[in-house]
């Protein structure tokens, strides 16, 4: 499956490295990354794909918890949510 | 890759605007559990529910994690128990206790279907079940009960209307020590839908498949937020914005319904595309109406705004789902909606205005706390009025009143959780006693003769 990971919060050193590190540990392959600064807020969107043996639920919990530790809001959602909501 | 704006919009809906799937409801037919012996029936019911719904809660939680969408409730609806009681006889409360035990075993939030359909008359078992409702609801925590007392096709059973006034009052008495919460789990319908996933009125109709998955969406906060971005738009644009938003919300409901149906290996029934408020600030239908330009919900203009909202929600949602059903529209439960609670407290929103609103909303007089000394006849008359609106307009209407025993206007009841809290509202006390005591049936209206 493919999932979208969003990271929103105050910009700081090493966000990309931390988030992609957790992706790697959980066997999530990062396919695409885009990042912007929206009204002083750092905003990164990653498209990831689960590799063999990956546990998406555990990854989702871990990355959310890491976000809370860093003061960032991190969400991981199945790609289908966006496809069904925004495409006919 | 998906458009960044779309991604952030979806995240914002979930994080800031309380977008969620309100319920995944598994409908289970109990018709094959009928037996001449009530204990055998109870055993079969327990076994069937715990077998079919054993993975319901876990599956809901898995989908929630994987898709990142909050799924608030996992529920079960069953065949109206009065139908099972018709063949078994015995003490109907045994069924309530069996359903309670099964709901605890599978871990669902509510189980609906302690119900009777008496729109034209009482069949075997119906009256016994209705009279047992106060005891059943006071001895259980997860059971929801409903009684259908009228329909466009049959007219209104005024004997049942009379009976329900007493049953609601007695249910409140029976749960007096718990803020009369029993009455919050009892709803009286006209034109009850067979596939409604929302409580307290959910039951699994006789024409339904053996087991189905129905999903109820939510999202008043999302609609309000969308409208707040077009403060000066005209009403045509407002209606368009509601439609577009309802489409997106419903698409998510359809996605979850498909996924749940696939994982549980149970056919998909319907998506109920309702705007269901919660007491959380920002998740209110009243605030949508106020966003349209009313000082407070209940002001003149409220019925027009609600009519627009209800219609636009259906138009937007219907294309987003393969099967739409249930109640579908905008709910206006007073105690479950922060904006309604405020409007009722300030006196701007009255029961009379709410009655007018029910002619254009998706259900009826919902979660309204009334003084404890309101007579059963007045409650029956409120039911009759509401059923008449449903019967003539070919729509579902319902009454869920909570008589606050020992309390009066100015006091409040607090149910906690999604049921919220509500101020005791003033009720017109002129007596309808003679009318209610007549009994009989209001004949089916001319609209019923469509053949």
């Amino acid at each position: 499956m493919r999932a979208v990971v969003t990271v929103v919060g105050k910009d700081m050193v090493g966000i990309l490295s931390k988030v992609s590190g957790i992706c790697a540990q959980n066997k999530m392959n990062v396919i695409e990354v885009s990042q912007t600064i929206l009204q002083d807020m750092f905003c990164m969107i990653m498209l990831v794909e689960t590799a063999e043996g990956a546990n998406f639920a555990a990854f989702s919990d871990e990355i959310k918890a890491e976000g809370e530790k860093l003061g960032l809001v991190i969400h991981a959602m199945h790609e289908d949510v966006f496809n069904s909501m925004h495409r006919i | 890759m998906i458009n960044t704006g779309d991604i952030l919009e979806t995240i914002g809906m979930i994080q800031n605007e309380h977008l969620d799937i309100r319920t995944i409801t598994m409908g289970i037919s109990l018709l094959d559990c009928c037996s001449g012996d009530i204990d055998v029936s109870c055993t079969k019911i327990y076994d069937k529910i715990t077998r079919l719904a054993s993975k319901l809660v876990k599956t809901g939680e898995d989908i929630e994690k994987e898709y990142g969408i909050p799924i608030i409730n996992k529920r079960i609806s069953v065949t109206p128990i009065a139908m099972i009681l018709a063949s078994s006889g015995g003490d109907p409360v045994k069924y309530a206790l069996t359903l309670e035990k099964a709901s605890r075993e599978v871990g669902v939030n509510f189980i609906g279907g302690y119900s009777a359909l008496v729109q034209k008359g009482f069949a075997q078992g119906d009256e016994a079940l209705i009279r047992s409702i106060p005891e059943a609801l006071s001895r259980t925590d997860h059971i929801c009960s409903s009684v259908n007392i009228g329909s466009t096709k049959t007219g209104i059973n005024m004997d049942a209307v009379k009976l329900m006034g007493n049953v609601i009052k007695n249910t409140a008495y029976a749960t007096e020590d718990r803020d009369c919460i029993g009455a919050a789990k009892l709803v009286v319908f006209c034109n009850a839908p067979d596939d409604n996933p929302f409580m307290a009125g959910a039951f699994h109709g006789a024409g339904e498949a053996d087991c189905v998955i129905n999903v109820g969406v939510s999202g008043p906060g999302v609609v309000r937020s969308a409208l707040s971005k077009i403060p000066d738009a005209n009403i045509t644009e407002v209606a368009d914005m509601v439609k577009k938003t309802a489409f997106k919300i419903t698409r998510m409901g359809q996605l979850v319904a498909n996924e749940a149906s696939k994982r549980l290996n149970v056919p998909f029934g319907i998506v109920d595309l309702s705007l269901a408020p919660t007491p959380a600030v920002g998740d209110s239908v009243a605030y949508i109406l106020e966003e349209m330009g009313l000082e407070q919900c209940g002001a003149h203009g409220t019925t027009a705004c609600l009519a627009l909202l209800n219609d636009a929600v259906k138009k937007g949602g219907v294309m987003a789902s393969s099967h739409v059903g249930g109640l579908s529209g905008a709910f206006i439960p007073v105690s479950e909606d922060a904006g309604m609670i405020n409007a009722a407290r300030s006196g701007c929103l009255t029961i009379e205005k709410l009655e007018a609103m029910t002619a254009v909303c998706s259900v009826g007089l919902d979660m309204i706390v009334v003084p404890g000394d309101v007579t059963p006849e007045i409650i029956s008359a409120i039911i009759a009025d509401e059923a008449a609106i449903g019967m003539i307009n070919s729509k579902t209407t319902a009454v869920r009143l909570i008589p606050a025993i020992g309390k009066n206007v100015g006091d409040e009841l607090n149910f906690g959780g999604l049921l919220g809290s509500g101020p005791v509202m003033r009720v017109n006390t002129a007596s309808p006693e003679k009318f209610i005591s007549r009994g009989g049936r209001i004949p089916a209206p001319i609209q019923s003769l469509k053949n």
Side-chain angles (χ1 to χ4, degrees):
Chain A
M1 68 173 266
R2 299 211 301 187
V4 174
V5 178
T6 58
V7 182
V8 181
K10 203 169 171 300
D11 198 9
M12 64 180 93
V13 175
I15 297 181
L16 180 57
S17 133
K18 283 205 172 86
V19 173
S20 54
I22 295 172
C23 289
Q25 280 161 25
N26 285 278
K27 297 179 182 164
M28 296 284 161
N29 183 26
V30 178
I31 299 170
E32 218 178 310
V33 181
S34 89
Q35 58 180 62
T36 45
I37 304 288
L38 283 176
Q39 296 169 343
D40 298 336
M41 296 292 267
F42 173 79
C43 173
M44 177 170 76
I45 298 172
M46 289 173 119
L47 186 64
V48 301
E49 187 162 35
T50 49
E52 183 124 1
N55 178 346
F56 184 76
F59 164 70
S60 172
D61 282 345
E62 189 180 338
I63 203 147
K64 209 170 161 187
E66 184 67 24
E68 277 163 22
K69 228 188 313 174
L70 296 172
L72 301 165
V73 180
I74 306 186
H75 263 279
M77 294 172 84
H78 199 298
E79 184 195 31
D80 283 354
V81 174
F82 305 97
N83 285 334
S84 66
M85 205 181 236
H86 299 285
R87 288 179 191 170
I88 295 178
Chain B
M1 192 168 165
I2 308 150
N3 181 308
T4 309
D6 290 345
I7 290 174
L8 293 177
E9 184 189 0
T10 303
I11 301 287
M13 284 179 180
I14 290 171
Q15 218 170 298
N16 308 324
E17 297 155 13
H18 306 279
L19 177 61
D20 55 48
I21 299 295
R22 179 55 46 82
T23 177
I24 298 182
T25 303
M26 178 181 268
I28 301 175
S29 168
L30 301 180
L31 291 173
D32 58 340
C33 302
C34 283
S35 163
D37 179 338
I38 189 167
D39 294 320
V40 174
S41 289
C42 284
T43 307
K44 284 183 169 177
I45 287 172
Y46 180 82
D47 290 348
K48 183 165 186 184
I49 292 174
T50 51
R51 175 170 54 84
L52 289 173
S54 63
K55 293 202 183 95
L56 176 63
V57 173
K58 171 79 171 57
T59 304
E61 286 167 356
D62 287 350
I63 295 174
E64 185 171 0
K65 276 257 170 66
E66 205 164 293
Y67 284 79
I69 303 166
I71 299 172
I72 310 299
N73 288 297
K74 293 91 189 170
R75 299 167 170 168
I76 294 172
S77 64
V78 297
T79 305
I81 292 297
M83 291 186 185
I84 315 298
L85 186 66
S87 61
S88 73
D91 178 7
V93 177
K94 278 191 179 177
Y95 285 117
L97 298 175
T98 302
L99 293 176
E100 176 74 15
K101 197 170 132 203
S103 75
R104 285 175 192 271
E105 172 63 28
V106 296
V108 290
N109 309 89
F110 280 120
I111 184 160
Y114 198 76
S115 306
L117 310 178
V118 294
Q119 56 269 33
K120 208 163 175 187
F122 298 100
Q124 194 73 31
D126 287 340
E127 201 172 334
L129 182 117
I130 292 173
R131 289 189 188 281
S132 77
I133 289 172
E135 186 186 348
L137 294 182
S138 68
R139 291 179 63 187
T140 57
D141 293 322
H142 298 86
I143 309 295
C144 288
S145 178
S146 56
V147 177
N148 192 57
I149 51 84
S151 75
T152 302
K153 214 60 191 148
T154 62
I156 300 171
N157 178 351
M158 289 301 293
D159 294 319
V161 168
K162 182 180 173 195
L163 183 57
M164 286 316 295
N166 281 304
V167 169
I168 289 175
K169 197 82 195 271
N170 290 339
T171 305
Y173 270 120
T175 50
E176 189 183 346
D177 56 334
R178 284 170 279 157
D179 271 12
C180 310
I181 197 165
K185 292 185 279 181
L186 169 60
V187 55
V188 185
F189 272 119
C190 176
N191 289 323
D194 282 355
D195 51 9
N196 164 25
F198 285 102
M199 297 296 169
F203 63 84
H204 188 70
E208 297 282 312
D210 192 56
C211 186
V212 292
I213 287 292
N214 298 324
V215 165
V217 299
S218 174
V222 181
V223 175
R224 204 206 91 182
S225 163
L227 293 185
S228 72
K229 289 172 194 142
I230 49 164
D232 299 316
N234 71 31
I235 285 297
T236 308
E237 290 162 329
V238 166
D240 270 346
M241 182 58 95
V242 175
K243 275 199 293 194
K244 282 179 194 157
T245 313
F247 176 82
K248 290 176 187 170
I249 296 170
T250 312
R251 288 285 276 195
M252 205 176 75
Q254 178 76 36
L255 175 72
V256 168
N258 285 345
E259 196 58 30
S261 152
K262 197 168 80 191
R263 291 186 188 195
L264 290 162
N265 197 22
V266 168
F268 157 65
I270 55 101
V271 172
D272 185 320
L273 38 95
S274 284
L275 290 183
T278 68
V281 174
D283 203 17
S284 152
V285 168
Y287 287 157
I288 300 177
L289 305 177
E290 291 169 12
E291 192 69 51
M292 287 184 192
L294 302 172
E295 184 186 348
Q296 192 163 37
C297 179
H300 288 295
T302 301
T303 312
C305 288
L306 183 60
L308 176 157
L309 175 67
N310 199 46
D311 185 62
V313 164
K314 290 180 201 169
K315 285 174 178 163
V318 80
M319 189 180 153
S321 170
S322 47
H323 295 283
V324 172
L327 297 164
S328 288
F331 291 167
I332 52 167
V334 176
S335 77
E336 298 175 3
D337 185 309
M340 298 270 176
I341 295 170
N342 285 341
R345 272 191 197 134
S346 75
C348 184
L349 184 63
T350 60
I351 290 186
E352 287 76 9
K353 187 64 184 174
L354 280 160
E355 185 183 314
M357 291 160 73
T358 65
V360 299
C361 80
S362 71
V363 198
L365 292 173
D366 199 11
M367 292 302 285
I368 296 173
V369 183
V370 296
D373 59 3
V374 164
T375 64
E377 288 76 20
I378 290 177
I379 296 175
S380 292
I382 293 173
I383 294 171
D385 281 345
E386 197 53 32
I389 291 174
M391 174 182 77
I392 295 294
N393 294 300
S394 305
K395 77 181 283 289
T396 302
T397 48
V399 172
R400 183 159 51 146
L401 296 183
I402 300 102
I405 305 301
K407 301 201 172 184
N408 219 317
V409 178
D411 296 330
E412 301 217 352
L413 287 186
N414 192 349
F415 311 110
L418 287 180
L419 295 173
S421 64
V424 178
M425 294 179 76
R426 193 194 61 81
V427 171
N428 181 339
T429 52
S431 175
E433 199 175 337
K434 171 74 185 166
F435 164 59
I436 295 301
S437 68
R438 285 175 188 267
R441 274 161 49 201
I442 295 181
I446 196 77
Q447 291 90 317
S448 70
L449 302 175
K450 283 185 178 164
N451 292 341

